Amino acid sequence: MSIRRVLLLIKPFTRPNHPHQFLGNWDDRCRVHKDTINLFGGDGTLLQASHFMDDKIPVMGVNSDPTQDIEVEEKIGEFDATRSTGYLCAATGRNFEQVLDEVLEGNKTPSELTRILIRVNDLPLSTYPLNDVLIAHPCPAAVSSFSFQLKKDLENSSALVHCRSSGLRICTAAGSTAAMLSAGGYPMPILSRDLHYMVREPIHPGMFSHLMHGSISPDQSIHIVWKSVEGMIYIDGCHVFHPIQYGSNVEISAKAPVLKVFLPSHLVS
């Protein structure tokens, strides 16, 4: 029998200061959550781990949030009882052993999720976003200037679009249900190789309105020229970032190594 290695990731969890009327409920959630994270992490942990993974070793997320849908409905009027989504998590603390057995016995096959390749002035960044990229001012509420166009090869490019806006977001299929969806985007099939881009709050887009929001096929890339003094590339949230400056050229495509993930059955059925 061959030896299999399993990577277990633990995330911290602290108890906030909530009003006394639901501390009993919260204490129960804390207890079950802590029991689970003694072994596992969830979507956020998987997202962070993906930054250190190549395309060879598959990973599996475990949703450690014990909150049930019925509890959310009952308690949402008293406090924010919304649960961790666990969108990419194939297991919970309750069924982890069963799912792990299926993995080790070869009865579950990992899926290949698209990640993003970022090049700044022709040099690739070492981190491959799994969810999304936001290119914006270090203060994302500030207005920035930039140009962009889609390119397939030297002879197939879209119009060059000049923008003043609060930034540009590009997401993968896995990230299409996150910040992009909240901003008015649309969910993509989880195994899609396309990317999805959206100019945030464009100012007077005029004749380029139809290019403010669209898809980037696997054989295309989006090329951005930054035309503000300061800029930042935010990767999968605010914790990983790369500074850019006036004149920086940024190329984004789906040509990064994929991430192999064991996904929930309903996502791949």
Side-chain angles (χ1 to χ4, degrees):
M1 177 179 175
S2 61
I3 297 176
R4 302 290 183 94
R5 293 182 179 181
V6 177
L7 176 63
L8 299 179
L9 300 158
I10 301 173
K11 64 180 178 181
F13 183 78
T14 57
R15 176 187 178 210
N17 296 319
H18 285 287
H20 67 278
Q21 60 264 31
F22 57 84
L23 280 181
N25 176 276
W26 185 260
D27 283 342
D28 182 64
R29 290 184 64 185
C30 290
R31 177 185 58 77
V32 181
H33 185 87
K34 287 183 177 180
D35 287 346
T36 304
I37 64 170
N38 282 334
L39 293 177
F40 318 122
D43 265 355
T45 312
L46 189 153
L47 191 65
Q48 293 179 40
S50 73
H51 297 163
F52 304 96
M53 306 295 289
D54 58 20
D55 56 355
K56 298 179 178 63
I57 301 174
V59 296
M60 182 175 73
V62 183
N63 190 354
S64 58
D65 188 341
T67 314
Q68 302 299 308
D69 290 341
I70 189 171
E71 181 184 355
V72 173
E73 295 176 2
E74 291 175 349
K75 301 295 184 179
I76 197 67
E78 301 176 27
F79 64 100
D80 182 7
T82 50
R83 68 192 303 268
S84 174
T85 305
Y87 181 64
L88 299 177
C89 294
T92 65
R94 296 183 180 91
N95 69 355
F96 171 74
E97 291 186 8
Q98 173 191 340
V99 176
L100 182 60
D101 284 342
E102 293 176 359
V103 169
L104 296 179
E105 291 168 3
N107 295 327
K108 288 185 74 69
T109 303
S111 299
E112 295 185 348
L113 298 187
T114 296
R115 290 191 287 185
I116 297 173
L117 176 63
I118 306 171
R119 292 181 179 274
V120 178
N121 297 325
D122 293 327
L123 298 176
L125 300 189
S126 59
T127 302
Y128 305 129
L130 177 61
N131 264 7
D132 54 31
V133 173
L134 173 63
I135 306 175
H137 189 274
C139 174
V143 174
S144 296
S145 297
F146 58 93
S147 301
F148 74 89
Q149 67 181 154
L150 300 180
K151 294 185 178 182
K152 184 174 181 180
D153 52 46
L154 293 177
E155 298 179 356
N156 290 279
S157 300
S158 71
L160 180 64
V161 181
H162 303 286
C163 289
R164 293 182 68 243
S165 81
S166 60
L168 177 68
R169 189 184 300 277
I170 302 101
C171 77
T172 64
S176 66
T177 60
M180 185 70 87
L181 183 62
S182 298
Y186 51 83
M188 302 162 64
I190 190 66
L191 301 182
S192 173
R193 298 301 186 197
D194 290 350
L195 302 180
H196 177 194
Y197 76 88
M198 180 185 292
V199 176
R200 298 170 76 232
E201 303 164 329
I203 299 174
H204 304 305
M207 62 182 293
F208 295 119
S209 294
H210 65 291
L211 294 174
M212 295 295 106
H213 185 188
S215 296
I216 307 167
S217 63
D219 59 355
Q220 288 180 312
S221 56
I222 185 167
H223 293 247
I224 303 104
V225 179
W226 194 249
K227 295 183 177 179
S228 293
V229 175
E230 296 180 276
M232 201 72 74
I233 300 174
Y234 295 97
I235 297 173
D236 287 338
C238 62
H239 299 296
V240 181
F241 50 84
H242 181 87
I244 54 176
Q245 57 189 6
Y246 186 92
S248 291
N249 288 275
V250 183
E251 177 187 352
I252 292 180
S253 69
K255 297 175 182 177
V258 299
L259 181 72
K260 292 183 178 180
V261 182
F262 291 100
L263 293 174
S265 301
H266 69 273
L267 287 182
V268 293
S269 59

